Amino acid sequence: MSRALAGIRVVDLTIETWGGIGAALLGDFGAEVIRVDALGPSPAVGPEDERAPGTWNAHAALAQRNKRSLAVDLASTAGRELVQALVGKADVVITDRARADLLRLGLDHAALCARKPDLIYARGSGFGPQGPDADLPAIDELAAARTGMMPILPQPGRPPVFPGHGQMYTAVMLAFGILAALHHRAKTGEGQEVDASLLGGNMYGASLDLQAYLAIGGERMLRPISRLDAGNPMSGTMYMSADGPWVTLTMPDTDRWWPVFAPLVELAVDDPRFDTHDKRCGANRLEMMQVLEAAFRRAPAAHWRAMFQEHQLSADIIESYDFPAADPQVYRNRYFVEIDDPSFGPRTSLGFPIFMSGTPARLDGAAPARGQHGAAILHDLLGLSEDAITALRDAGTIAG
Amino acid sequence: MASALEGLRVIDLTVWFQGPVAAQHLADFGAEVIKVERPKGGDQGRGVRSIKALPVGDWNQYFLVINRNKKSMALDLKTEAGREIMYRLVERSDVFLSNLGAENLEAWRLTWEKLSAINPKLIYATTTGYGPYATTVKPSFDMTVQALTGLMSRLGEPGEPPIYLGMGSGDAYGGLLAALAILVALWHRNTTGAGQRVDASLYGAQLFLAAPTLQAWLATRDPRYAAQQSRAAARNPLWNTYRAEDQWLMLCVPNRDDAFAALAGSLDPADAGVGGDARFATAAARREHARELVAALDAAIARRTAGEWMARWTPLADRHVAASPVATLADLARDAGAWANDYLMETHCEEVNRSVTVRGMPVGLSRTPGTIRGLGPELGQDTEMILFEMLGYDWDEIGALKAKGAIP
């Protein structure tokens, strides 16, 4: 089975999970990803790891899969020199470290470009390389707080909500930018810098709300809107069922669905209050929402699920994580995969969100132990002898 | 200025959001994107008239932004002649992208088998609801699929309704993953000559989007990753939302003694006891007494405005104290960093003949930056030129195609 990105070599200098995922997306399709694990305390700025000691590191399993690890002391000149030499043999560098750190370590764009003039140098940051906040820490919560969505996610009067997913847009953007830059390099021989940020990621995730505000303005989009004050009672709405779970409807073109939907909620199709799209979404929308609120409270979630299924409505129950975990489609599509961890045995992990018929993503290797492949990398890529590698290990320049 | 994806031709047979935004990323970086639309009405996204019960205003930002940098060709794929044009287009293109239902593609004979027979090097990309091996066949929209993932029911305070991440949040992610998949497949094709089929789905995208908590839940099945958690009992009270006198703040301080000391030292004299309180003396103690510590910080932080706190905390950055006011969309629209990095851009809108603010480029490429060369096209505006210049039809043939109803 051929690999789509075979032959591309990536040096991974990331420290945060989302940055690691950006590199893993390339490794999943066959790029050779060499992860540089710095010895000493991690300079990561994200929230601390909350795992119980001695338990499986699920986030590393996702972010570091399909990578080889070189553990190196970046505080030493010899260690930095090793990484720079590796970059000389690579196509791509990806990092999410602070600019000041990279400069201090001689791993900034200018220094590494001197080693490899056609290098693609991708950096993820908190707020982008330009502007007054370019050196703020890369913390997803800070970026989300700046994006304008936190106050309007909850119901009126409730505290702002940190959703936690913004960083995942950023991870994919880094990978996308790297691929675009590789295409350009293939045509012209030119490398370049790629940048993506948590602010850009969170903003992109808020695309439609943000763009609507930019175009429409006004006050309505700056404050939470009650769920019973939607523009269309049948689209983007949620109602509680009799036994607790919520239902959600997305039927923007209400004319199409009304004849089927109305009887399910015990409304006459020709009810004069709701018999046109304009009445449903205009003058009588608030009344209709109250009517639907009462209707959905009259039957349990299982009843609604069966109804939606039977009539193929664009509507569903709002589930918890145990729903996808029990859904065979999720495994069949490899969105979740069963992996056999060398230390912890069988585990379920997030898999691959992209399907490719000819060159599918593969799990070639579990997340490496720190420094697991150091000797092999130094020997294969830099031609170091066994004695030289032993000397580096004895000097504490590399570990593992 | 060179473009990264110059020379790529993409057929964009998509509607609404997830599909169009995938092609938008390619168009932004220089691919030639031909949006193929039905002659009557075109992409349904053209019909959006209101957002959150507000009229959209005098330009349809919903359609125009995600279809920027594209050409539009009106084609009736229900006609044999219309399909013949499509086949000729497929012969001359690198990518076919669609988010129409499989039954449509089947009926119009636009399946992978058919199109790859015409052009073996073609990348045949789809964005779907539930993925290539789905058993669910009903229509899919962003929020109904997000509902299934479990993302929504874990957000907000306990007892509150579930929370949707924002209009089109999952569509946006599926679109981005599809764009990545297309570039990966093109890389492979450029090295081997082989085309293939790629897909990104709402379901798969949104499960991946949930990774920060879903991956931890898969490992532990600990309900705190899957269920609503109150800010009043934050596991690390120093990494939490707090309400200042005038607005909310997001405080991000690691649960370490030195960082806690710096934060406690920034409080008013009336709250000086927080730093010396035995209940908060160690990381473990702060976790154990989280409710009391949140309550103490609630009282302390409510005394002053967000501006006063930011003035006190900004100098403490090197002691691991980080914070931000919780901004509104209005604040973001004025955010200097968002403008400086081209996350927001100004561009001319022909529909209203003035400059408008749009979502810009979420990815920066130093040598080949993305550009906005024009907002979404008028329906069918490029039909005749594409037929004549690219596909080699002469004007008589074009007249005959109109007579057959293949083009308007």
Side-chain angles (χ1 to χ4, degrees), chain B residues 71-150:
Chain B
K71 296 173 176 170
S72 171
M73 186 173 190
L75 214 51
D76 189 348
L77 294 166
K78 294 193 187 75
T79 67
E80 190 64 44
R83 288 195 290 272
E84 284 303 326
I85 296 170
M86 176 60 97
Y87 296 151
R88 213 185 273 202
L89 197 53
V90 165
E91 273 173 20
R92 291 164 176 77
S93 298
D94 302 287
V95 180
F96 172 86
L97 169 71
S98 173
N99 68 342
L100 304 185
E103 67 287 352
N104 273 347
L105 295 169
E106 192 86 37
W108 298 344
R109 297 202 282 289
L110 297 173
T111 58
W112 154 243
E113 291 74 14
K114 173 77 184 171
L115 299 192
S116 64
I118 293 171
N119 178 356
K121 290 182 152 188
L122 185 74
I123 308 304
Y124 184 97
T126 51
T127 63
T128 56
Y130 306 97
Y133 301 109
T135 46
T136 307
V137 290
K138 65 181 185 181
S140 61
F141 283 95
D142 189 33
M143 189 163 163
T144 48
V145 179
Q146 192 165 115
L148 297 181
T149 61

Side-chain angles (χ1 to χ4, degrees), chain A residues 23-101:
Chain A
L25 286 163
L26 307 176
D28 289 349
F29 292 107
E32 179 193 354
V33 183
I34 297 170
R35 177 165 176 74
V36 175
D37 278 308
L39 300 178
S42 166
V45 290
E48 61 242 86
D49 186 355
E50 292 187 345
R51 276 180 308 127
T55 57
W56 183 57
N57 189 338
H59 282 121
L62 177 65
Q64 315 311 343
R65 68 189 180 194
N66 292 327
K67 298 180 186 179
R68 295 197 298 157
S69 167
L70 167 73
V72 62
D73 177 15
L74 292 177
S76 70
T77 309
R80 293 196 295 273
E81 174 54 37
L82 282 180
V83 176
Q84 288 163 349
L86 271 185
V87 171
K89 306 277 185 191
D91 303 289
V92 177
V93 164
I94 179 169
T95 184
D96 53 14
R97 285 172 170 262
R99 285 198 295 197
D101 285 354

Side-chain angles (χ1 to χ4, degrees), chain A residues 139 141-142 145 150, chain B residues 236-242 248-254 263 266-267 297 301 309-310 313 320-326:
Chain A
I139 296 173
E141 284 87 342
L142 289 186
M150 282 179 64
Chain B
N236 173 6
L238 316 182
W239 199 288
N240 200 12
T241 50
Y242 285 99
W248 284 89
L249 289 156
M250 182 78 232
L251 181 65
C252 303
V253 177
L263 177 68
S266 75
L267 304 178
L297 290 172
I301 290 171
W309 288 118
M310 290 305 294
W313 290 339
H320 307 290
V321 175
S324 171
V326 175

Side-chain angles (χ1 to χ4, degrees), chain A residues 50 130 141 145 168-169 187 192-193 195 197 204 209 211 220 315 319 321 327 329 333 335 350 357-359, chain B residues 4 52 133 135 138 147 153 169 172-173 196-197 201 203 213 215 224 239 327 341 343 359 364 366-367:
Chain A
E50 292 187 345
Q130 308 295 329
E141 284 87 342
M168 295 302 294
Y169 296 96
K187 286 182 303 194
Q192 59 181 315
E193 286 181 89
D195 65 81
S197 74
Y204 173 71
D209 286 287
Q211 189 61 62
R220 184 169 164 90
E319 304 281 3
Y321 284 157
D327 183 353
Q329 292 181 104
N333 281 298
Y335 299 148
L350 274 161
S357 63
T359 57
Chain B
K52 301 202 172 187
Y133 301 109
T135 46
K138 65 181 185 181
S153 57
S169 46
Y173 204 46
Q196 62 178 308
R197 194 159 67 89
S201 75
Y203 201 12
T213 48
Q215 182 70 1
R224 77 184 154 95
W239 199 288
N341 288 290
Y343 304 149
R359 188 167 54 70
S366 60
R367 210 186 274 272

Side-chain angles (χ1 to χ4, degrees), chain A residues 143-158:
Chain A
R146 288 278 281 280
T147 306
M149 292 299 287
M150 282 179 64
I152 59 173
L153 289 174
Q155 290 295 295
R158 308 304 293 148

Side-chain angles (χ1 to χ4, degrees), chain B residues 59-68 349 351 374-377:
Chain B
W59 65 290
N60 179 353
Q61 48 76 26
Y62 177 96
F63 175 84
L64 291 174
V65 175
I66 52 175
N67 290 292
R68 67 195 185 195
C349 175
E351 189 175 346
L375 289 177

